[in-house]
Coordinates of all heavy atoms in Angstrom, one line a residue:
M1 N 25.7 -4.8 12.6 CA 24.9 -5.3 11.4 C 25.2 -4.4 10.2 O 25.0 -3.1 10.3 CB 23.4 -5.2 11.9 CG 22.5 -5.6 10.7 SD 20.7 -5.6 11.2 CE 20.6 -7.1 12.0
P2 N 25.6 -4.9 9.1 CA 25.8 -4.1 7.9 C 24.5 -3.4 7.5 O 23.4 -3.9 7.7 CB 26.2 -5.2 6.8 CG 26.7 -6.4 7.6 CD 25.9 -6.3 8.9
V3 N 24.7 -2.3 6.8 CA 23.5 -1.5 6.4 C 22.6 -2.2 5.5 O 21.3 -2.1 5.7 CB 24.0 -0.2 5.7 CG1 22.9 0.6 5.1 CG2 24.9 0.6 6.6
I4 N 23.0 -3.0 4.6 CA 22.1 -3.8 3.7 C 21.3 -4.7 4.5 O 20.1 -4.9 4.2 CB 22.9 -4.5 2.5 CG1 21.9 -5.0 1.5 CG2 23.7 -5.6 3.0 CD1 21.2 -3.9 0.7
E5 N 21.8 -5.4 5.5 CA 21.0 -6.3 6.3 C 20.0 -5.5 7.1 O 18.8 -5.9 7.3 CB 21.9 -7.1 7.2 CG 22.7 -8.2 6.5 CD 23.6 -8.9 7.5 OE1 23.2 -9.1 8.7 OE2 24.6 -9.4 7.1
L6 N 20.4 -4.3 7.6 CA 19.4 -3.5 8.3 C 18.3 -3.0 7.4 O 17.1 -3.1 7.8 CB 20.2 -2.2 8.9 CG 19.4 -1.3 9.8 CD1 18.9 -2.1 11.0 CD2 20.2 -0.1 10.2
V7 N 18.6 -2.7 6.2 CA 17.5 -2.3 5.2 C 16.7 -3.5 4.9 O 15.4 -3.4 4.8 CB 18.2 -1.7 4.0 CG1 17.1 -1.5 2.9 CG2 18.8 -0.4 4.3
A8 N 17.3 -4.7 4.7 CA 16.5 -5.9 4.4 C 15.5 -6.3 5.5 O 14.5 -6.8 5.2 CB 17.5 -7.0 4.1
V9 N 15.9 -6.0 6.7 CA 15.0 -6.3 7.8 C 14.0 -5.1 8.0 O 12.8 -5.3 8.2 CB 15.8 -6.6 9.1 CG1 14.8 -6.7 10.3 CG2 16.6 -7.8 8.9
G10 N 14.5 -3.9 8.0 CA 13.7 -2.7 8.3 C 12.7 -2.3 7.3 O 11.6 -1.8 7.7
L11 N 13.1 -2.4 6.0 CA 12.2 -1.9 5.0 C 10.8 -2.6 5.0 O 9.8 -1.9 5.0 CB 12.9 -1.9 3.6 CG 12.0 -1.5 2.4 CD1 11.6 0.0 2.6 CD2 12.7 -1.7 1.1
P12 N 10.8 -3.9 5.0 CA 9.5 -4.6 5.0 C 8.7 -4.3 6.2 O 7.5 -4.1 6.1 CB 9.9 -6.1 4.9 CG 11.2 -6.1 4.3 CD 11.9 -4.9 4.8
I13 N 9.4 -4.1 7.4 CA 8.6 -3.8 8.6 C 8.1 -2.4 8.5 O 6.9 -2.2 8.8 CB 9.6 -4.0 9.8 CG1 9.9 -5.5 10.0 CG2 8.9 -3.4 11.1 CD1 10.9 -5.7 11.1
A14 N 8.9 -1.4 8.1 CA 8.4 -0.1 7.9 C 7.2 0.0 6.9 O 6.2 0.7 7.2 CB 9.5 0.9 7.5
L15 N 7.4 -0.6 5.8 CA 6.3 -0.7 4.8 C 5.1 -1.3 5.4 O 3.9 -0.9 5.1 CB 6.8 -1.4 3.5 CG 5.9 -1.4 2.3 CD1 5.5 0.0 1.9 CD2 6.5 -2.2 1.2
G16 N 5.3 -2.4 6.1 CA 4.2 -3.1 6.7 C 3.4 -2.2 7.7 O 2.2 -2.2 7.7
V17 N 4.1 -1.4 8.5 CA 3.5 -0.5 9.4 C 2.6 0.5 8.7 O 1.5 0.8 9.1 CB 4.5 0.2 10.3 CG1 3.9 1.3 11.1 CG2 5.1 -0.8 11.3
V18 N 3.2 1.0 7.6 CA 2.4 2.0 6.8 C 1.2 1.4 6.2 O 0.1 2.0 6.2 CB 3.3 2.7 5.7 CG1 2.5 3.5 4.8 CG2 4.4 3.5 6.4
M19 N 1.3 0.2 5.6 CA 0.2 -0.5 5.0 C -0.9 -0.8 6.0 O -2.1 -0.6 5.7 CB 0.7 -1.8 4.3 CG 1.6 -1.6 3.1 SD 0.9 -0.7 1.7 CE -0.2 -2.0 1.1
I20 N -0.5 -1.2 7.2 CA -1.5 -1.5 8.2 C -2.2 -0.3 8.7 O -3.4 -0.2 8.8 CB -0.8 -2.2 9.4 CG1 -0.4 -3.7 9.0 CG2 -1.8 -2.3 10.6 CD1 0.5 -4.3 10.1
G21 N -1.4 0.8 8.9 CA -2.0 2.1 9.3 C -3.0 2.6 8.3 O -4.1 3.0 8.6
T22 N -2.6 2.7 7.0 CA -3.5 3.3 6.0 C -4.6 2.3 5.8 O -5.8 2.8 5.5 CB -2.7 3.6 4.7 OG1 -2.1 2.4 4.2 CG2 -1.7 4.7 4.9
G23 N -4.4 1.0 5.8 CA -5.5 0.1 5.6 C -6.5 0.2 6.7 O -7.7 0.2 6.5
A24 N -6.1 0.3 8.0 CA -7.0 0.5 9.1 C -7.8 1.8 8.9 O -9.0 1.8 9.2 CB -6.2 0.5 10.4
L25 N -7.2 2.9 8.5 CA -7.9 4.1 8.3 C -8.9 4.0 7.2 O -10.0 4.5 7.3 CB -6.9 5.3 8.0 CG -6.1 5.7 9.2 CD1 -5.0 6.7 8.7 CD2 -6.9 6.3 10.3
N26 N -8.5 3.3 6.1 CA -9.5 3.1 5.0 C -10.6 2.3 5.5 O -11.8 2.5 5.2 CB -8.8 2.5 3.8 CG -8.0 3.5 3.1 OD1 -8.2 4.7 3.1 ND2 -7.0 3.1 2.4
F27 N -10.3 1.2 6.2 CA -11.4 0.3 6.6 C -12.4 1.0 7.6 O -13.6 0.7 7.5 CB -10.8 -1.0 7.3 CG -11.8 -2.0 7.7 CD1 -12.2 -2.9 6.8 CD2 -12.4 -2.0 8.9 CE1 -13.1 -3.9 7.1 CE2 -13.4 -2.9 9.3 CZ -13.8 -3.9 8.3
A28 N -11.9 1.8 8.4 CA -12.7 2.6 9.4 C -13.7 3.5 8.7 O -14.8 3.8 9.2 CB -11.8 3.3 10.4
G29 N -13.3 3.9 7.5 CA -14.3 4.7 6.7 C -14.5 6.1 7.2 O -15.6 6.6 7.3
S30 N -13.4 6.8 7.4 CA -13.5 8.2 7.8 C -14.2 9.0 6.7 O -14.2 8.5 5.5 CB -12.1 8.8 8.1 OG -11.4 8.9 6.9
S31 N -14.7 10.2 7.0 CA -15.4 10.9 5.9 C -14.4 11.2 4.7 O -14.9 11.2 3.6 CB -15.9 12.2 6.5 OG -14.9 13.0 7.0
L32 N -13.1 11.5 5.0 CA -12.2 11.7 4.0 C -12.0 10.5 3.1 O -12.0 10.6 1.9 CB -10.8 12.2 4.5 CG -9.7 12.5 3.5 CD1 -10.2 13.6 2.6 CD2 -8.5 12.8 4.2
A33 N -11.9 9.3 3.7 CA -11.7 8.1 2.9 C -12.9 7.8 2.1 O -12.8 7.5 0.9 CB -11.5 6.9 3.9
L34 N -14.1 8.0 2.6 CA -15.3 7.8 1.9 C -15.4 8.7 0.7 O -15.8 8.4 -0.4 CB -16.6 7.9 2.7 CG -16.7 6.9 3.9 CD1 -17.9 7.3 4.8 CD2 -16.8 5.5 3.3
K35 N -15.0 10.0 0.9 CA -15.1 11.0 -0.1 C -14.0 10.6 -1.2 O -14.4 10.7 -2.4 CB -14.7 12.4 0.4 CG -14.7 13.5 -0.6 CD -14.3 14.8 0.1 CE -13.3 15.4 -0.8 NZ -12.3 16.3 -0.2
N36 N -12.8 10.2 -0.8 CA -11.8 9.9 -1.8 C -12.2 8.7 -2.7 O -12.1 8.7 -3.9 CB -10.5 9.6 -1.1 CG -9.8 10.9 -0.7 OD1 -10.0 12.0 -1.3 ND2 -8.9 10.8 0.3
F37 N -12.7 7.6 -2.0 CA -13.1 6.4 -2.8 C -14.2 6.7 -3.8 O -14.2 6.2 -4.9 CB -13.4 5.3 -1.9 CG -12.2 4.5 -1.4 CD1 -11.6 4.9 -0.2 CD2 -11.7 3.5 -2.1 CE1 -10.4 4.2 0.2 CE2 -10.6 2.8 -1.7 CZ -9.9 3.2 -0.5
A38 N -15.1 7.6 -3.4 CA -16.2 8.0 -4.3 C -15.6 8.8 -5.4 O -16.0 8.6 -6.6 CB -17.3 8.8 -3.5
L39 N -14.7 9.7 -5.1 CA -14.0 10.6 -6.1 C -13.3 9.7 -7.2 O -13.3 10.0 -8.3 CB -13.0 11.5 -5.5 CG -12.1 12.4 -6.4 CD1 -12.9 13.5 -7.1 CD2 -11.0 13.0 -5.6
W40 N -12.7 8.6 -6.7 CA -11.9 7.7 -7.5 C -12.8 6.8 -8.3 O -12.3 6.0 -9.1 CB -10.9 6.9 -6.7 CG -9.9 7.8 -6.0 CD1 -9.4 9.0 -6.4 CD2 -9.3 7.5 -4.7 NE1 -8.5 9.5 -5.5 CE2 -8.4 8.6 -4.5 CE3 -9.4 6.5 -3.8 CZ2 -7.6 8.7 -3.3 CZ3 -8.6 6.5 -2.7 CH2 -7.7 7.6 -2.4
G41 N -14.1 6.8 -8.1 CA -15.0 6.0 -8.9 C -15.3 4.6 -8.3 O -15.9 3.8 -9.0
Y42 N -15.0 4.3 -7.1 CA -15.2 3.0 -6.5 C -16.6 3.0 -5.9 O -17.1 4.0 -5.4 CB -14.1 2.7 -5.5 CG -12.8 2.4 -6.1 CD1 -11.7 3.3 -6.0 CD2 -12.6 1.2 -6.9 CE1 -10.5 3.0 -6.6 CE2 -11.4 1.0 -7.5 CZ -10.4 1.8 -7.3 OH -9.2 1.6 -7.9
P43 N -17.2 1.8 -5.8 CA -18.6 1.7 -5.2 C -18.5 1.9 -3.7 O -17.5 1.7 -3.1 CB -19.0 0.3 -5.6 CG -17.8 -0.5 -5.8 CD -16.8 0.5 -6.3
A44 N -19.7 2.2 -3.1 CA -19.8 2.3 -1.7 C -19.4 1.0 -1.0 O -19.7 0.0 -1.5 CB -21.2 2.7 -1.3
G45 N -18.6 1.2 0.0 CA -18.1 0.0 0.8 C -16.8 -0.5 0.3 O -16.2 -1.4 1.0
F46 N -16.3 0.0 -0.8 CA -15.0 -0.5 -1.4 C -13.9 -0.2 -0.5 O -12.8 -0.9 -0.5 CB -14.8 0.0 -2.8 CG -13.6 -0.7 -3.4 CD1 -13.8 -2.0 -4.0 CD2 -12.4 -0.1 -3.5 CE1 -12.7 -2.6 -4.5 CE2 -11.3 -0.7 -4.1 CZ -11.5 -2.0 -4.6
H47 N -14.0 0.9 0.3 CA -13.0 1.3 1.3 C -12.7 0.1 2.3 O -11.5 0.0 2.7 CB -13.4 2.5 2.0 CG -14.6 2.4 3.0 ND1 -15.8 2.3 2.5 CD2 -14.6 2.2 4.3 CE1 -16.7 2.2 3.5 NE2 -16.0 2.1 4.6
R48 N -13.7 -0.7 2.5 CA -13.4 -1.8 3.4 C -12.6 -2.9 2.8 O -11.8 -3.6 3.4 CB -14.8 -2.4 3.9 CG -15.5 -1.4 4.8 CD -16.6 -2.1 5.6 NE -17.4 -1.2 6.3 CZ -17.1 -0.5 7.4 NH1 -16.0 -0.7 8.0 NH2 -18.0 0.3 8.0
V49 N -12.8 -3.1 1.5 CA -12.1 -4.1 0.7 C -10.6 -3.6 0.6 O -9.7 -4.4 1.0 CB -12.6 -4.3 -0.7 CG1 -11.7 -5.2 -1.6 CG2 -14.0 -4.8 -0.7
A50 N -10.4 -2.4 0.2 CA -9.0 -1.9 0.1 C -8.4 -1.8 1.5 O -7.2 -2.2 1.6 CB -9.1 -0.5 -0.5
G51 N -9.1 -1.4 2.5 CA -8.5 -1.4 3.9 C -8.1 -2.8 4.4 O -7.0 -3.0 4.9
S52 N -9.0 -3.8 4.1 CA -8.7 -5.1 4.5 C -7.4 -5.6 3.8 O -6.5 -6.3 4.4 CB -9.8 -6.1 4.2 OG -11.0 -5.7 5.0
L53 N -7.3 -5.4 2.5 CA -6.2 -5.8 1.8 C -4.9 -5.2 2.3 O -3.9 -5.8 2.4 CB -6.4 -5.5 0.3 CG -7.2 -6.5 -0.5 CD1 -7.5 -6.0 -1.9 CD2 -6.6 -7.9 -0.6
G54 N -5.0 -3.9 2.6 CA -3.8 -3.2 3.1 C -3.4 -3.7 4.4 O -2.1 -3.9 4.6
V55 N -4.3 -4.1 5.3 CA -3.9 -4.6 6.6 C -3.3 -6.0 6.4 O -2.2 -6.3 7.0 CB -5.1 -4.7 7.6 CG1 -4.8 -5.5 8.8 CG2 -5.5 -3.3 8.0
V56 N -3.9 -6.8 5.6 CA -3.3 -8.2 5.4 C -2.0 -8.1 4.7 O -1.0 -8.8 5.2 CB -4.3 -9.0 4.5 CG1 -3.7 -10.3 4.0 CG2 -5.6 -9.3 5.3
L57 N -1.8 -7.3 3.7 CA -0.5 -7.2 3.1 C 0.6 -6.6 4.1 O 1.7 -7.1 4.1 CB -0.6 -6.3 1.8 CG -1.4 -6.9 0.7 CD1 -1.6 -5.8 -0.4 CD2 -0.6 -8.1 0.1
G58 N 0.2 -5.7 4.9 CA 1.1 -5.2 5.9 C 1.5 -6.2 6.9 O 2.7 -6.3 7.2
L59 N 0.6 -7.1 7.3 CA 0.9 -8.2 8.2 C 1.9 -9.1 7.5 O 2.9 -9.6 8.2 CB -0.3 -8.9 8.7 CG -1.2 -8.1 9.7 CD1 -2.5 -8.8 9.9 CD2 -0.5 -7.8 11.0
L60 N 1.6 -9.5 6.3 CA 2.5 -10.4 5.5 C 3.9 -9.8 5.4 O 4.9 -10.5 5.5 CB 2.0 -10.6 4.1 CG 0.7 -11.5 4.0 CD1 0.2 -11.5 2.6 CD2 1.0 -12.9 4.5
L61 N 4.0 -8.5 5.3 CA 5.3 -7.9 5.2 C 6.1 -8.0 6.5 O 7.4 -8.0 6.4 CB 5.2 -6.4 4.8 CG 4.9 -6.1 3.3 CD1 4.3 -4.7 3.2 CD2 6.3 -6.2 2.6
M62 N 5.5 -8.0 7.6 CA 6.1 -8.0 8.9 C 6.6 -9.4 9.4 O 7.3 -9.4 10.3 CB 5.2 -7.3 9.9 CG 5.0 -5.9 9.5 SD 3.9 -5.0 10.7 CE 5.1 -4.7 12.0
I63 N 6.2 -10.4 8.7 CA 6.6 -11.8 9.0 C 7.6 -12.2 8.1 O 7.4 -12.3 6.9 CB 5.4 -12.7 9.0 CG1 4.3 -12.2 9.9 CG2 5.8 -14.1 9.3 CD1 2.9 -12.9 9.8
P64 N 8.9 -12.5 8.5 CA 10.0 -12.7 7.6 C 9.7 -13.8 6.6 O 10.0 -13.7 5.4 CB 11.1 -13.2 8.5 CG 10.8 -12.4 9.8 CD 9.3 -12.4 9.9
V65 N 9.0 -14.9 7.0 CA 8.7 -16.0 6.0 C 7.7 -15.6 4.9 O 7.8 -16.1 3.8 CB 8.1 -17.2 6.8 CG1 7.6 -18.3 5.9 CG2 9.0 -17.7 7.9
T66 N 6.9 -14.6 5.2 CA 5.9 -14.2 4.2 C 6.2 -12.8 3.6 O 5.4 -12.2 2.9 CB 4.5 -14.2 4.8 OG1 4.4 -13.3 5.9 CG2 4.1 -15.6 5.2
A67 N 7.3 -12.2 4.0 CA 7.6 -10.8 3.5 C 7.7 -10.7 2.0 O 7.2 -9.7 1.5 CB 8.9 -10.4 4.2
Q68 N 8.2 -11.7 1.3 CA 8.3 -11.6 -0.1 C 6.9 -11.6 -0.8 O 6.6 -10.8 -1.7 CB 9.1 -12.8 -0.7 CG 9.2 -12.9 -2.2 CD 10.2 -11.8 -2.7 OE1 10.8 -11.1 -2.0 NE2 10.3 -11.8 -4.0
V69 N 6.0 -12.4 -0.3 CA 4.6 -12.4 -0.8 C 3.9 -11.1 -0.5 O 3.3 -10.5 -1.3 CB 3.8 -13.6 -0.1 CG1 2.3 -13.5 -0.5 CG2 4.4 -14.9 -0.6
G70 N 4.2 -10.5 0.7 CA 3.6 -9.2 1.1 C 4.2 -8.1 0.2 O 3.4 -7.2 -0.1
A71 N 5.5 -8.2 -0.1 CA 6.1 -7.2 -0.9 C 5.5 -7.2 -2.3 O 5.2 -6.2 -2.9 CB 7.6 -7.4 -1.0
I72 N 5.3 -8.4 -2.9 CA 4.8 -8.5 -4.2 C 3.3 -8.0 -4.2 O 2.9 -7.3 -5.1 CB 4.9 -10.0 -4.8 CG1 6.3 -10.3 -5.0 CG2 4.0 -10.2 -6.0 CD1 6.6 -11.8 -5.2
G73 N 2.6 -8.5 -3.2 CA 1.2 -8.0 -3.1 C 1.1 -6.5 -3.0 O 0.2 -5.9 -3.6
S74 N 1.9 -5.9 -2.2 CA 1.9 -4.5 -1.9 C 2.3 -3.7 -3.2 O 1.7 -2.7 -3.5 CB 2.9 -4.1 -0.8 OG 2.5 -4.7 0.4
A75 N 3.2 -4.3 -4.0 CA 3.6 -3.6 -5.2 C 2.4 -3.6 -6.2 O 2.1 -2.6 -6.8 CB 4.8 -4.3 -5.9
I76 N 1.7 -4.7 -6.3 CA 0.5 -4.8 -7.2 C -0.6 -3.8 -6.6 O -1.2 -3.1 -7.4 CB 0.0 -6.2 -7.2 CG1 1.0 -7.1 -8.0 CG2 -1.4 -6.3 -7.9 CD1 0.8 -8.6 -7.8
F77 N -0.8 -3.9 -5.3 CA -1.8 -3.0 -4.7 C -1.5 -1.5 -5.0 O -2.4 -0.8 -5.3 CB -1.8 -3.3 -3.2 CG -2.8 -2.6 -2.4 CD1 -4.1 -3.1 -2.3 CD2 -2.5 -1.4 -1.7 CE1 -5.1 -2.4 -1.6 CE2 -3.5 -0.8 -0.9 CZ -4.8 -1.3 -0.9
M78 N -0.2 -1.2 -4.8 CA 0.2 0.2 -5.0 C 0.2 0.6 -6.5 O -0.1 1.8 -6.8 CB 1.5 0.5 -4.4 CG 1.5 0.4 -2.9 SD 0.1 1.3 -2.0 CE 0.4 3.0 -2.6
L79 N 0.5 -0.3 -7.4 CA 0.4 -0.1 -8.8 C -1.1 0.3 -9.2 O -1.3 1.2 -10.0 CB 0.9 -1.2 -9.6 CG 0.8 -1.1 -11.1 CD1 1.7 0.0 -11.6 CD2 1.2 -2.4 -11.8
I80 N -2.0 -0.5 -8.6 CA -3.4 -0.2 -8.9 C -3.8 1.2 -8.3 O -4.5 2.0 -8.9 CB -4.3 -1.3 -8.3 CG1 -4.1 -2.6 -9.1 CG2 -5.8 -0.9 -8.3 CD1 -4.6 -3.8 -8.4
A81 N -3.3 1.5 -7.1 CA -3.5 2.8 -6.5 C -3.0 3.9 -7.4 O -3.7 4.9 -7.6 CB -2.9 2.8 -5.1
V82 N -1.8 3.8 -7.9 CA -1.2 4.8 -8.7 C -2.0 5.0 -10.0 O -2.3 6.1 -10.4 CB 0.3 4.5 -9.0 CG1 0.8 5.3 -10.2 CG2 1.1 4.7 -7.8
A83 N -2.4 3.9 -10.6 CA -3.2 3.9 -11.8 C -4.6 4.6 -11.5 O -5.0 5.4 -12.3 CB -3.5 2.5 -12.4
T84 N -5.2 4.3 -10.4 CA -6.4 5.0 -10.0 C -6.2 6.5 -9.8 O -7.0 7.3 -10.3 CB -6.9 4.4 -8.7 OG1 -7.3 3.0 -8.9 CG2 -8.1 5.1 -8.1
L85 N -5.1 6.9 -9.2 CA -4.9 8.3 -9.0 C -4.6 9.0 -10.3 O -5.1 10.2 -10.5 CB -3.7 8.5 -8.0 CG -4.0 8.0 -6.6 CD1 -2.7 8.0 -5.8 CD2 -5.1 8.8 -5.9
I86 N -3.9 8.4 -11.2 CA -3.7 9.0 -12.5 C -5.0 9.1 -13.3 O -5.3 10.2 -13.9 CB -2.6 8.2 -13.3 CG1 -1.2 8.4 -12.6 CG2 -2.5 8.7 -14.7 CD1 -0.1 7.5 -13.1
R87 N -5.8 8.0 -13.3 CA -7.0 8.0 -14.0 C -8.0 9.1 -13.5 O -8.7 9.8 -14.3 CB -7.7 6.7 -13.9 CG -9.0 6.6 -14.6 CD -9.6 5.2 -14.5 NE -9.6 4.7 -13.1 CZ -10.6 4.8 -12.2 NH1 -11.7 5.4 -12.6 NH2 -10.5 4.3 -11.0
S88 N -8.0 9.3 -12.2 CA -8.9 10.3 -11.6 C -8.3 11.7 -11.5 O -8.9 12.6 -11.0 CB -9.4 9.9 -10.3 OG -8.3 9.8 -9.3
R89 N -7.0 11.8 -11.9 CA -6.3 13.1 -11.9 C -6.1 13.7 -10.5 O -6.2 14.9 -10.3 CB -6.9 14.1 -12.9 CG -6.8 13.6 -14.3 CD -7.6 14.5 -15.2 NE -7.7 13.8 -16.5 CZ -7.3 14.3 -17.7 NH1 -6.8 15.5 -17.7 NH2 -7.5 13.6 -18.7
D90 N -5.9 12.8 -9.6 CA -5.7 13.2 -8.2 C -4.2 13.3 -7.9 O -3.6 12.4 -7.3 CB -6.4 12.1 -7.2 CG -6.3 12.6 -5.8 OD1 -5.7 13.6 -5.5 OD2 -7.0 11.9 -5.0
W91 N -3.7 14.4 -8.4 CA -2.2 14.6 -8.3 C -1.7 14.8 -6.9 O -0.6 14.5 -6.6 CB -1.8 15.8 -9.2 CG -2.4 15.7 -10.6 CD1 -3.2 16.6 -11.2 CD2 -2.2 14.6 -11.5 NE1 -3.6 16.2 -12.4 CE2 -3.0 15.0 -12.7 CE3 -1.6 13.4 -11.5 CZ2 -3.1 14.2 -13.8 CZ3 -1.7 12.6 -12.7 CH2 -2.4 13.0 -13.8
G92 N -2.6 15.2 -6.0 CA -2.1 15.4 -4.6 C -1.7 14.2 -3.9 O -0.8 14.2 -3.0
H93 N -2.4 13.1 -4.1 CA -2.1 11.8 -3.5 C -1.1 11.0 -4.2 O -0.6 10.0 -3.7 CB -3.4 11.0 -3.3 CG -4.3 11.5 -2.3 ND1 -5.5 12.2 -2.6 CD2 -4.3 11.4 -1.0 CE1 -6.1 12.5 -1.5 NE2 -5.4 12.0 -0.5
L94 N -0.7 11.4 -5.5 CA 0.1 10.6 -6.3 C 1.6 10.4 -5.7 O 2.1 9.3 -5.8 CB 0.2 11.1 -7.7 CG 0.9 10.3 -8.8 CD1 0.3 8.9 -8.9 CD2 0.8 11.0 -10.1
P95 N 2.2 11.4 -5.2 CA 3.6 11.3 -4.8 C 3.7 10.2 -3.7 O 4.6 9.4 -3.7 CB 4.0 12.6 -4.3 CG 3.1 13.6 -5.0 CD 1.8 12.9 -5.2
S96 N 2.8 10.2 -2.7 CA 3.0 9.3 -1.6 C 2.7 7.8 -2.1 O 3.4 6.9 -1.7 CB 2.0 9.6 -0.4 OG 0.7 9.7 -0.9
A97 N 1.7 7.7 -3.0 CA 1.5 6.3 -3.6 C 2.7 5.9 -4.4 O 3.0 4.7 -4.3 CB 0.2 6.4 -4.4
A98 N 3.3 6.8 -5.1 CA 4.5 6.4 -5.9 C 5.6 6.0 -5.0 O 6.4 5.0 -5.3 CB 4.9 7.5 -6.8
V99 N 5.8 6.7 -3.9 CA 6.9 6.3 -3.0 C 6.6 4.9 -2.4 O 7.5 4.1 -2.3 CB 7.0 7.4 -1.8 CG1 7.9 6.9 -0.7 CG2 7.6 8.7 -2.4
L100 N 5.4 4.6 -2.0 CA 5.0 3.3 -1.5 C 5.2 2.2 -2.5 O 5.6 1.1 -2.2 CB 3.6 3.3 -0.9 CG 3.4 4.1 0.4 CD1 2.0 4.1 0.8 CD2 4.3 3.6 1.5
M101 N 4.9 2.5 -3.8 CA 5.1 1.6 -4.8 C 6.6 1.3 -5.0 O 7.0 0.1 -5.1 CB 4.5 2.1 -6.1 CG 4.5 1.0 -7.2 SD 3.6 1.5 -8.7 CE 4.7 2.7 -9.4
A102 N 7.4 2.3 -4.9 CA 8.9 2.2 -5.1 C 9.4 1.4 -3.9 O 10.3 0.5 -4.0 CB 9.6 3.5 -5.2
A103 N 8.9 1.6 -2.7 CA 9.4 0.9 -1.5 C 9.0 -0.6 -1.6 O 9.8 -1.4 -1.2 CB 8.8 1.5 -0.2
S104 N 7.8 -0.8 -2.2 CA 7.4 -2.2 -2.4 C 8.3 -2.9 -3.4 O 8.7 -4.1 -3.2 CB 6.0 -2.3 -2.9 OG 5.1 -1.7 -2.0
G105 N 8.7 -2.2 -4.4 CA 9.6 -2.8 -5.4 C 11.0 -3.0 -4.8 O 11.6 -4.1 -5.1
A106 N 11.4 -2.1 -3.9 CA 12.7 -2.3 -3.2 C 12.7 -3.5 -2.3 O 13.6 -4.3 -2.2 CB 13.1 -1.1 -2.5
A107 N 11.5 -3.7 -1.6 CA 11.4 -4.9 -0.7 C 11.4 -6.2 -1.5 O 11.9 -7.2 -1.0 CB 10.1 -4.7 0.1
I108 N 10.8 -6.1 -2.7 CA 10.9 -7.3 -3.6 C 12.4 -7.6 -4.0 O 12.8 -8.8 -3.9 CB 10.1 -7.2 -4.9 CG1 8.6 -7.1 -4.5 CG2 10.3 -8.3 -5.9 CD1 7.7 -6.6 -5.7
A109 N 13.1 -6.6 -4.4 CA 14.5 -6.8 -4.8 C 15.4 -7.3 -3.7 O 16.3 -8.1 -3.9 CB 15.0 -5.5 -5.3
I110 N 15.1 -6.8 -2.5 CA 15.9 -7.2 -1.3 C 15.8 -8.7 -1.0 O 16.7 -9.3 -0.6 CB 15.6 -6.3 -0.1 CG1 16.1 -4.9 -0.2 CG2 16.1 -7.0 1.2 CD1 15.6 -4.0 0.8
H111 N 14.6 -9.2 -1.2 CA 14.3 -10.6 -0.8 C 14.5 -11.6 -1.9 O 14.1 -12.7 -1.8 CB 12.9 -10.7 -0.3 CG 12.8 -10.2 1.1 ND1 12.7 -8.9 1.4 CD2 12.8 -10.9 2.3 CE1 12.6 -8.7 2.7 NE2 12.7 -9.9 3.3
R112 N 15.1 -11.2 -3.0 CA 15.4 -12.1 -4.1 C 16.5 -13.1 -3.8 O 17.4 -12.9 -3.1 CB 15.7 -11.4 -5.4 CG 14.4 -10.8 -5.9 CD 14.6 -10.4 -7.3 NE 13.3 -10.6 -7.9 CZ 13.1 -10.9 -9.2 NH1 14.0 -11.1 -10.0 NH2 11.9 -11.1 -9.6

């Protein structure tokens, strides 16, 4: 299998696994997640909204027929996350969010 085909299949799946994992952690509402969402200025319970969206987008990424929709949704989701981190000056979380945003953009480009 050529490398580009391997990336075209593997990138959305890897991104989907990360989105599902972080979404599940956010939805569960660990003390760290609750603290971070409060720090970022979101209302109580918003971690469940963000977590649910993360899980749904991750699942969409893992299904070949819906991977493009999942990639676009993930890019938008991560753009909002990056904007939130910049607005709240949370520089520690910014690099990982930026990498996920770039991976979402790459997944969009692959499926064009």
Side-chain angles (χ1 to χ4, degrees):
M1 176 181 276
V3 173
I4 191 68
E5 287 181 29
L6 185 61
V7 171
V9 171
L11 178 62
I13 291 172
L15 183 58
V17 168
V18 171
M19 294 294 289
I20 290 169
T22 57
L25 289 174
N26 284 334
F27 186 86
S30 68
S31 59
L32 179 60
L34 295 175
K35 181 183 132 208
N36 284 336
F37 277 91
L39 173 75
W40 299 329
Y42 289 109
F46 190 77
H47 65 283
R48 294 199 190 279
V49 173
S52 298
L53 282 171
V55 170
V56 168
L57 291 169
L59 290 171
L60 289 171
L61 280 160
M62 297 180 79
I63 302 168
V65 175
T66 60
Q68 180 72 4
V69 172
I72 293 167
S74 294
I76 294 167
F77 185 83
M78 293 313 303
L79 179 63
I80 294 167
V82 166
T84 295
L85 294 170
I86 290 170
R87 179 179 48 93
S88 64
R89 298 174 192 234
D90 186 353
W91 310 121
H93 287 102
L94 188 58
S96 57
V99 167
L100 290 175
M101 189 173 71
S104 298
I108 293 169
I110 287 171
H111 282 80
R112 285 194 149 213

